[in-house]
Amino acid sequence: MRWTATGLLAVMAALFFTTHGPAVAPGAHWAWGYINAFAEAAMVGGLADWFAVTALFRHPLGIPIPHTAIIPMNKDRIADTMAQFLRENFLTPAVVARRMAGMNVARAVGEFLVDAPDRGEADTRSRITSGAAELLAEVLESLDPDRLGSQVRAGLAAQMAKIDVSPLAGRMLESAMSDQRHSPLIDGFIRWAGLTLEDNEETVRDIIHARVSGVLRYVGLDKTISANVLDGLYKLLAEVLVDPDHPIREKVEEGLRKLSHDLQHDPETRERVEEMKRDLLENPAVGEWWMGVWERIRRSLIRRARDPESGLGSEMRSGLADLGAALSQDHRLQVQINRFARRTAAGIATRYGSEIVTLVSETVKRWDATTVTGRIESAVGRDLQFIRINGTLVGGLVGMTLHFITSFL
């Protein structure tokens, strides 16, 4: 554009000198005068605008004419003016809140996460999940595992200390019994007892053999007694297992109902349970067990985050999609998130607006004059060259108009 404007100026100069002779020759055609006047005024207008545009950024022809090289000479003042303009028009809480009032940030984020992506968006989402996974791994690696594990353990212990376990356990047991969900547990216990008895038959026989008198052992009745005892126990367990109304089962259920009642209403039982809970939380073995569990969880998360085949990326993408669906469909959630976003942005503008303005101002001030001039000129230089072109053409039209007026005076 600079070459175009300069070339147009050169054409006007050539046209002026070419038409000057015919225009003033005796008996010359009237059109030569208009052409010469157009070229003369266009040349003057082009030169004037070249001077004005050049004076913004440097001294014309290197001559230090006063009030030229305006931008380099006033760089610091321009920086302060830009910063103040930014502060007053963009970083005030009222402006930020007003601009964000019509923005549905939550829905926009939700639609991005939910919409079927094209290739570019798919790559972007893949980079997001990969970056999030790598960030998770780095955060877990950077944290002190012992300190973090101790903090998590202390937090869990503090929360557990606030929970009254006894009534909660009593209500859970009562609810399970009312829905007959305890029956499979009793059946499982009976089967476990039968299998345990079967695995320890020889031990039972040895106990009976040791307790019977010598006469019974001599005649071999101890083996008969052992067999009868074992058969009776197997038969009893089988009857309890298949008969839902068996007296032993009823006794067990009666004991469970009493336990449920005591857990909720008996102060002594509740105090014993709380004491057991406190002893458990204060037991060093429990702390060591939790530290081992936490370390395994931490290492597993790091390994899965770094392994592209672990499926963590797909799980994160699925989680992001579910989050996007909630954000794009739940109006109340959108209202809450948008309100939070507005308040956060306004708070940032209030608290850090001055720091942002200072950062802009100091950054521009640190630039050297050549850098500032080059960046501004690269941003608006094309339009400034259009000013030169327009000045050349408009000047020519004004020259023709003046020539027309003077022709009749």
Side-chain angles (χ1 to χ4, degrees):
M1 292 306 300
R2 182 184 294 114
W3 279 106
T4 300
T6 304
L8 182 60
L9 177 60
V11 169
M12 293 298 106
L15 184 62
F16 169 74
F17 289 109
T18 302
T19 60
H20 180 71
V24 298
H29 193 275
W30 60 268
W32 289 111
Y34 281 96
I35 296 174
N36 184 258
F38 177 87
E40 181 181 12
M43 184 174 58
V44 173
L47 285 172
D49 285 340
W50 166 82
F51 182 89
V53 170
T54 303
L56 287 173
F57 303 103
R58 58 189 62 86
H59 297 300
L61 302 177
I63 303 173
I65 303 173
H67 302 292
T68 59
I70 295 174
I71 292 177
M73 298 297 292
N74 297 275
K75 175 175 65 71
D76 293 346
R77 183 163 58 87
I78 293 173
D80 293 334
T81 303
M82 290 173 56
Q84 188 63 25
F85 176 81
L86 179 65
R87 181 73 177 92
E88 295 177 354
N89 294 276
F90 294 96
L91 293 178
T92 60
V95 172
V96 172
R98 184 171 62 252
R99 291 291 298 172
M100 295 191 66
M103 298 172 59
N104 194 334
V105 178
R107 187 175 65 184
V109 174
E111 290 176 351
F112 169 76
L113 296 176
V114 170
D115 288 345
D118 58 20
R119 181 174 179 81
E121 291 178 351
D123 293 342
T124 300
R125 189 174 301 178
S126 177
R127 288 195 297 269
I128 291 174
T129 54
S130 299
E134 180 62 25
L135 177 62
L136 174 63
E138 291 182 358
V139 168
L140 290 174
E141 283 185 340
S142 64
L143 295 175
D144 184 353
D146 294 334
R147 180 179 179 183
L148 183 60
S150 300
Q151 290 177 345
V152 175
R153 182 184 65 184
L156 291 174
Q159 294 301 318
M160 287 295 297
K162 297 177 182 179
I163 299 175
D164 197 353
V165 178
S166 181
L168 179 61
R171 288 192 293 271
M172 291 175 59
L173 181 58
E174 183 179 16
S175 176
M177 293 186 67
S178 63
D179 296 336
Q180 296 299 316
R181 293 196 302 270
H182 70 295
S183 296
L185 296 177
I186 296 177
D187 294 341
F189 176 77
I190 295 172
R191 292 190 181 92
W192 172 81
L195 294 174
T196 303
L197 182 62
E198 183 178 358
D199 294 337
N200 295 276
E201 282 189 1
E202 292 301 324
T203 303
V204 174
R205 294 179 190 276
D206 292 340
I207 293 174
I208 295 175
H209 177 76
R211 291 185 177 273
V212 298
S213 62
V215 177
L216 295 178
R217 288 198 301 270
Y218 179 76
V219 298
L221 289 178
D222 60 328
K223 296 182 180 179
T224 303
I225 294 173
S226 300
N228 289 336
V229 169
L230 290 172
D231 290 342
L233 290 175
Y234 284 129
K235 182 180 179 181
L236 176 63
L237 291 174
E239 290 175 353
V240 175
L241 182 63
V242 300
D243 185 5
D245 297 325
H246 195 278
I248 293 181
R249 184 183 286 269
E250 291 181 355
K251 281 291 185 181
V252 172
E253 293 183 350
E254 181 181 347
L256 291 176
R257 281 192 291 270
K258 185 177 185 305
L259 176 61
S260 172
H261 178 273
D262 292 345
L263 287 173
Q264 298 181 69
H265 305 291
D266 183 36
E268 185 177 350
T269 303
R270 294 178 61 174
E271 180 57 31
R272 285 201 301 268
V273 172
E274 288 299 310
E275 185 176 355
M276 292 172 59
K277 182 189 74 174
R278 289 192 293 269
D279 293 340
L280 183 64
L281 294 177
E282 295 172 359
N283 193 327
V286 176
E288 294 179 1
W289 168 81
W290 165 249
M291 292 296 293
V293 171
W294 164 249
E295 184 61 18
R296 288 193 294 272
I297 293 174
R298 190 180 72 91
R299 293 188 178 276
S300 175
L301 287 174
I302 294 174
R303 185 173 58 255
R304 293 188 63 195
R306 292 257 168 81
D307 185 5
E309 304 296 331
S310 66
L312 183 61
S314 61
E315 293 173 4
M316 295 182 69
R317 282 190 291 272
S318 177
L320 289 174
D322 293 339
L323 175 62
L327 290 176
S328 60
Q329 297 173 8
D330 192 332
H331 178 69
R332 291 187 299 176
L333 183 60
Q334 291 177 11
V335 171
Q336 293 176 355
I337 292 179
N338 291 334
R339 183 185 298 119
F340 173 77
R342 286 196 301 272
R343 291 177 177 175
T344 301
I348 292 174
T350 302
R351 181 172 299 180
Y352 302 107
S354 300
E355 286 80 356
I356 296 173
V357 168
T358 302
L359 174 64
V360 173
S361 177
E362 292 180 352
T363 301
V364 175
K365 288 180 179 179
R366 283 197 299 268
W367 292 344
D368 58 86
T370 303
T371 301
V372 175
T373 302
R375 294 191 177 186
I376 297 178
E377 190 172 12
S378 65
V380 300
R382 184 179 180 87
D383 296 320
L384 294 177
Q385 300 309 315
F386 270 114
I387 292 177
R388 290 180 57 191
I389 295 172
N390 293 335
T392 302
L393 297 177
V394 171
L397 294 175
V398 172
M400 290 180 62
T401 303
L402 293 176
H403 182 74
F404 174 78
I405 295 173
T406 57
S407 297
F408 292 94
L409 292 179

